[in-house]
């Protein structure tokens, strides 16, 4: 699978690189959190990260003063498994290089997206990357065998407890958490747990592709 850079023109329709942020303090705080032995971990908000000066910069500059949360996804992953989207942009920042597998929300047809439309983008260490609301994404993929640590910035409350309501359309059934609509591949644990199977084609694995 071809891996583009977030600095390549191909990334422009999926997101953009943010400039003017001092990321050192945040990276140091992220590196103080141990990696799991296997799999991935995710926390929507982590106090040691939100105490960094960059939190206010993200809130005021990147989100225009809206309430945000600063958490992290970290661990070991090379597979697609699922794609999700929010009603807003997400900011990712890694302590090391990492790869994002992305697709377009507009390519979902009748509740299903063909994984052949997915593109891979490598983000360099310490660089904040905005992923647009219309870009489907999920857990980052590692570049190093050591794994990855990627900060996740989102509006406050995202990925927390799902609201309870009566589904009135098919998309309503894709909601798996607050502000999180999910399309799962049939091979994924999420699908086995009842998530909407909305990815057709190969479950991409960067180790194989």
């Amino acid at each position: 699978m071809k891996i583009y850079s977030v600095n390549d023109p191909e990334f422009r329709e999926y997101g953009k690189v943010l400039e003017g942020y001092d990321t050192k303090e945040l990276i140091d705080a992220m590196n103080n959190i141990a990696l799991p032995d296997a799999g991935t971990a995710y926390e929507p908000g982590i106090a040691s990260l939100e105490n960094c000066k960059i939190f206010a910069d993200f809130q005021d500059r990147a989100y225009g003063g809206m309430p945000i949360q600063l958490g992290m996804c970290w661990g070991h992953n090379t597979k697609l498994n699922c794609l999700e989207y929010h009603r807003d942009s997400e900011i990712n920042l890694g302590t090391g290089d990492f790869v994002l597998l992305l697709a377009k929300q507009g390519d979902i047809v009748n509740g299903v997206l063909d994984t052949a439309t997915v593109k891979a983008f490598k983000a360099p260490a310490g660089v904040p990357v905005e992923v647009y609301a219309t870009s489907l994404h999920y857990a980052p993929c590692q570049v190093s065998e050591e794994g990855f640590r990627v900060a996740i910035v989102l509006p406050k409350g995202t990925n927390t407890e799902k609201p309870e309501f009566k589904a009135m359309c098919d998309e309503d059934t894709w909601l798996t958490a607050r502000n999180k609509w999910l399309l799962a591949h049939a091979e994924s644990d999420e699908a086995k747990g009842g998530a909407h199977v909305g990815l057709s084609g190969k479950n991409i694995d960067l180790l194989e592709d």
Side-chain angles (χ1 to χ4, degrees):
M1 184 176 195
K2 180 177 176 60
I3 299 179
Y4 297 93
S5 167
V6 294
N7 294 308
D8 289 338
E10 288 80 2
F11 185 64
R12 291 175 188 161
E13 56 189 322
Y14 296 92
K16 66 179 180 181
V17 173
L18 301 183
E19 299 178 348
Y21 291 87
D22 184 352
T23 63
K24 184 181 183 305
E25 181 188 19
L26 176 59
I27 289 172
D28 288 344
M30 292 164 65
N31 279 326
N32 284 331
I33 299 175
L35 289 170
D37 293 333
T40 61
Y42 171 72
E43 290 291 340
I46 299 175
S48 61
L49 308 187
E50 294 184 346
N51 287 334
C52 295
K53 181 181 179 298
I54 199 172
F55 179 83
D57 292 337
F58 281 142
Q59 181 164 271
D60 294 341
R61 294 179 53 215
Y63 285 90
M66 294 292 291
I68 64 167
Q69 62 195 28
L70 202 173
M72 188 165 73
C73 184
W74 70 109
H76 309 270
N77 181 54
T78 62
K79 300 185 73 172
L80 177 65
N81 288 321
C82 298
L83 287 170
E84 69 179 2
Y85 59 91
H86 314 294
R87 295 298 192 212
D88 43 73
S89 291
E90 173 177 312
I91 296 171
N92 295 165
L93 186 154
T95 59
D97 295 353
F98 64 96
V99 171
L100 291 171
L101 296 174
L102 304 176
K104 300 175 187 176
Q105 191 174 337
D107 285 336
I108 301 172
V109 179
N110 296 324
V112 178
L113 181 129
D114 186 344
T115 62
T117 67
V118 173
K119 291 185 178 179
F121 295 93
K122 184 178 180 181
V127 174
V129 176
E130 177 181 356
V131 177
Y132 295 148
T134 51
S135 297
L136 302 171
H137 58 279
Y138 204 52
C141 294
Q142 67 197 56
V143 172
S144 164
E145 291 183 358
E146 295 178 2
F148 68 90
R149 292 178 179 87
V150 176
I152 309 291
V153 187
L154 282 162
K156 187 73 173 177
T158 300
N159 291 328
T160 60
E161 185 178 0
K162 184 178 78 169
E164 295 299 326
F165 60 92
K166 181 181 178 180
M168 301 299 290
C169 66
D170 189 42
E171 187 185 26
D172 289 348
T173 67
W174 310 348
L175 193 71
T176 60
R178 187 169 298 179
N179 194 22
K180 175 179 179 173
W181 289 263
L182 185 77
L183 306 180
H185 194 279
E187 297 176 357
S188 69
D189 290 339
E190 289 85 348
K192 295 168 186 174
H196 168 67
V197 177
L199 298 182
S200 66
K202 186 175 182 180
N203 188 15
I204 296 168
D205 189 336
L206 293 184
L207 289 181
E208 300 175 356
D209 298 304

